[in-house]
Amino acid sequence: MTDAEDRKPQSDEARSAFVHPSGLMAPADSESSTTSEFAVPDGLAVPKSGTESETTSEFALPDGLDVAPPPAHEPEGSAFSTPRTYSARQAAAFTPPTGVPLVRLTKDVPWQDRMRTMLRMPVTERPAPEPVQRHDESGPAVPRVLDLSLRIGELLLAGGEGAEDVEAAMFAVCRAYGLDRCEPNVTFTLLAVSYQPSLVDDPVTASRTVRRRSPDYTRLAAVYQLVDDLSDDETHVSLEEAYRRLAEIRRNRHPYPGWALTAASGLLAGSASVLVGGGLLVFVAAAVGAMLGDRLAWLCAGRGLPEFYQFTVAATPPAAIGVALTLAHADVKASAVITGGLFALLPGRALVAGVQDGLTGFYITASARLLEVLYFFVGIVIGVLTVLYFGVQLGANLVPDAALVGDPQPVLQIAASLGLSLAFAVLLQQERSTVLVVTLNGGVAWVVYGAMHYTGDISPVASTAVAAGVVGLFGQLLARYRFASALPYTTAAIGPLLPGSATYFGLLGIAQNEVDSGLTSLTKAVALAMAIAIGVNLGSEISRLFLRIGSAEKRRAAKRTRGF
């Protein structure tokens, strides 16, 4: 071959992209090396064409394409072969042919139980939403729905509701308007809710800060009624109507005037002094001291002082009256006067809410609430301890045993417990329709405590825990019967169980330089407070055992970590 022939252009076949390079062995069947996207994988059996359904199917193979029959045994690793580890006995481990069982929630139970059940489920296992509030074809206004849920959550959290119930209310509002992929988050002062339309869309997040807290259970009940109407499939509430009702709830005045609140604080302190063995004069002295402290606290609040100083100032008049009666050598139990004043100041509501948040897994909110209780308690300690210190220096003979009940008087003490619960309900701005019920619940709590402690000679901590459990049980059942919050039925009822006398004995021991006995009494007061909070929460959880939530599985809770 000459040089000219070497420079001659080669044929199209020689330059074809499908020609194997020199030295590379070609496969025996050149057609198997095709990379057409219409090729069928090996082993897939395709019937021959000829029927009408096959010729018109969009998945039909082109004419002339022959498919080899499947081999008798699939090679190891094929996508169409059965795994070697598969066993027919373990077939239940795979997703069943009928799919995962649908989780159905009974609609005749309160909305807070249904929402709480879904919040404790993983997002992928929650049932599909059934929007009960109609909207236009463009769908709900997501920012407005999130804002409505935040405003409702703010009123509930500011009113003293637990973090779990606040999340349930926010989640119920979102689901009522068709927003199922919502995740509410509640802390002590911050509310947040996030909504993700789909797995590929960006989430929408909104937040709101709670800066002011005021116990108003009438407003709390109205908010619960609004959420209940939103969750009801037979009641249509548009976004505009929901905002209007929410504005009315904010504008509503308190059901009781200021003078009624002052009188209630006096009744509370006087009733508490009778519970620890006081008489008529002690009742009047404790009531006067508590009313003076309440007016001083209102004056400090009007000047913008923090609540810490308000509690400190409110604790001084009852202690001062008790010390003055002792210096005057009056034949009264001055310790009962001071103890009654402490009953009107102990933050039982915040304590129960803090322990409840801790038991339900909201540890940040629980820590903040308990720290708030600690600050209030320190303020009370400073106010009372200052007065007691000066009283001891002036020669006041304060005997701790003088406040102890000598012979129990069941009828008088039951009446005092009813009066104490009634006054506590008024101070919490409860609806007038619930005052009688919570008053009777408080009387039942004291009967249980008195029967166990005075008659059965059982320790006060155990007696308090059982009595608080009865309060929580009855309160939750009453709340579920009326589809309302449980706080108006439980908070005021625990008033007779508050550790007022143990707190006073501890402070008096410290003032008299008996630090050991004082710390022992304060430790007992803390134990009684924890018994009240845990008992109320345990009674609430026991009440849910009688409620049929309706899910396919039982309500899930966090498993014990065993230290991992």
Side-chain angles (χ1 to χ4, degrees):
M1 181 180 297
T2 61
D3 295 338
E5 292 177 351
D6 293 338
R7 292 192 299 269
K8 183 179 178 181
Q10 297 181 358
S11 62
D12 294 338
E13 182 179 358
R15 293 185 290 103
S16 175
F18 299 98
V19 176
H20 289 271
S22 303
L24 182 61
M25 181 180 296
D29 187 5
S30 59
E31 293 183 359
S32 62
S33 62
T34 179
T35 58
S36 173
E37 64 270 17
F38 298 101
V40 181
D42 295 337
L44 180 61
V46 181
K48 294 183 179 180
S49 60
T51 63
E52 182 179 359
S53 60
E54 292 172 352
T55 56
T56 58
S57 173
E58 61 184 57
F59 300 101
L61 299 176
D63 296 336
L65 179 60
D66 192 9
V67 180
H73 298 283
E74 294 289 345
E76 180 66 24
S78 173
F80 302 98
S81 61
T82 304
R84 291 182 302 173
T85 58
Y86 175 78
S87 174
R89 297 181 179 179
Q90 301 176 354
F94 295 88
T95 303
T98 57
V100 180
L102 178 63
V103 178
R104 298 183 182 275
L105 297 175
T106 306
K107 292 186 178 181
D108 56 352
V109 298
W111 59 265
Q112 53 264 44
D113 290 317
R114 290 186 280 117
M115 297 302 111
R116 187 183 294 109
T117 301
M118 283 187 285
L119 281 174
R120 295 185 179 185
M121 291 180 181
V123 179
T124 56
E125 297 182 10
R126 292 176 184 171
E130 299 177 1
V132 298
Q133 307 301 333
R134 295 184 295 271
H135 44 72
D136 55 12
E137 297 180 356
S138 61
V142 175
R144 297 194 66 194
V145 174
L146 298 184
D147 179 71
L148 178 64
S149 66
L150 289 173
R151 291 178 182 272
I152 289 178
E154 178 188 10
L155 288 180
L156 293 177
L157 189 62
E161 189 61 86
E164 187 178 28
D165 291 328
V166 175
E167 282 196 357
M170 296 172 62
F171 188 68
V173 174
C174 293
R175 283 186 64 91
Y177 290 99
L179 307 184
D180 59 323
R181 293 180 176 271
C182 283
E183 287 296 335
N185 187 20
V186 177
T187 57
F188 184 62
T189 57
L190 181 64
L191 298 172
V193 59
S194 179
Y195 169 67
Q196 189 171 11
S198 65
L199 297 178
V200 297
D201 293 331
D202 296 332
V204 180
T205 304
S207 62
R208 195 173 183 87
T209 303
V210 179
R211 302 187 183 276
R212 185 178 180 182
R213 302 175 183 274
S214 59
D216 188 346
Y217 285 0
T218 300
R219 180 180 297 175
L220 191 71
V223 175
Y224 260 75
Q225 183 61 46
L226 174 59
V227 179
D228 183 58
D229 292 341
L230 291 175
S231 304
D232 189 4
D233 54 357
E234 298 180 357
T235 305
H236 170 59
V237 181
S238 62
L239 273 175
E240 289 74 14
E241 177 68 16
Y243 269 104
R244 185 189 64 79
R245 291 180 57 179
L246 194 62
E248 291 180 354
I249 293 173
R250 287 180 175 274
R251 288 195 301 264
N252 282 344
R253 298 178 60 86
H254 298 303
Y256 307 102
W259 65 266
L261 298 179
T262 302
S265 63
L267 177 61
L268 192 154
S271 301
S273 65
V274 173
L275 282 179
V276 294
L280 179 60
L281 184 57
V282 172
F283 178 90
V284 175
V288 172
M291 288 189 290
L292 288 177
D294 181 76
R295 288 293 91 189
L296 288 177
W298 276 98
L299 181 62
C300 294
R303 299 296 181 180
L305 291 179
E307 288 184 298
F308 175 84
Y309 301 104
Q310 297 177 27
F311 274 83
T312 303
V313 172
T316 54
I321 291 179
V323 171
L325 290 175
T326 303
L327 293 175
H329 302 287
D331 189 15
V332 294
K333 294 181 179 180
S335 299
V337 176
I338 302 176
T339 301
L342 289 177
F343 265 87
L345 296 175
L346 292 178
R349 172 184 56 87
L351 175 66
V352 172
V355 175
Q356 179 182 356
D357 289 340
L359 295 177
T360 52
F362 294 84
Y363 301 113
I364 297 178
T365 306
S367 302
R369 288 186 189 270
L370 294 178
L371 185 61
E372 180 187 40
V373 172
L374 179 61
Y375 271 101
F376 291 163
F377 189 77
V378 171
I380 297 172
V381 167
I382 293 175
V384 176
L385 198 58
T386 302
V387 176
L388 292 180
Y389 178 78
F390 283 105
V392 171
Q393 297 300 320
L394 293 175
N397 186 18
L398 298 172
V399 182
D401 295 338
L404 295 177
V405 178
D407 295 329
Q409 300 177 357
V411 178
L412 184 60
Q413 289 179 344
I414 291 175
S417 65
L418 293 175
L420 195 153
S421 299
L422 173 64
F424 207 169
V426 173
L427 289 175
L428 292 175
Q429 302 283 358
Q430 289 193 198
E431 289 182 304
R432 298 180 181 180
S433 60
T434 63
V435 170
L436 178 61
V437 178
V438 72
T439 301
L440 295 177
N441 199 11
V444 171
W446 181 257
V447 169
V448 173
Y449 172 80
M452 295 183 63
H453 179 57
Y454 296 113
T455 304
D457 198 16
I458 301 176
S459 66
V461 176
S463 303
T464 301
V466 174
V470 173
V471 169
L473 177 62
F474 287 170
Q476 282 290 341
L477 293 179
L478 289 171
R480 294 305 182 261
Y481 175 74
R482 297 194 176 186
F483 289 81
S485 172
L487 288 180
Y489 301 98
T490 57
T491 305
I494 66 173
L497 305 176
L498 292 176
S501 58
T503 304
Y504 166 71
F505 294 156
L507 299 180
L508 182 59
I510 296 176
Q512 293 177 344
N513 292 326
E514 298 177 0
V515 180
D516 294 338
S517 61
L519 293 179
T520 301
S521 297
L522 290 179
T523 304
K524 179 182 177 181
V526 173
L528 290 173
M530 295 297 294
I532 292 173
I534 295 176
V536 170
N537 182 264
L538 183 60
S540 302
E541 293 296 330
I542 291 176
S543 68
R544 295 191 179 102
L545 297 177
F546 302 99
L547 300 175
R548 182 169 57 90
I549 304 301
S551 59
E553 302 177 358
K554 293 183 179 180
R555 187 185 63 166
R556 297 185 177 183
K559 295 182 179 179
R560 187 160 56 98
T561 59
R562 300 179 184 270
F564 297 160

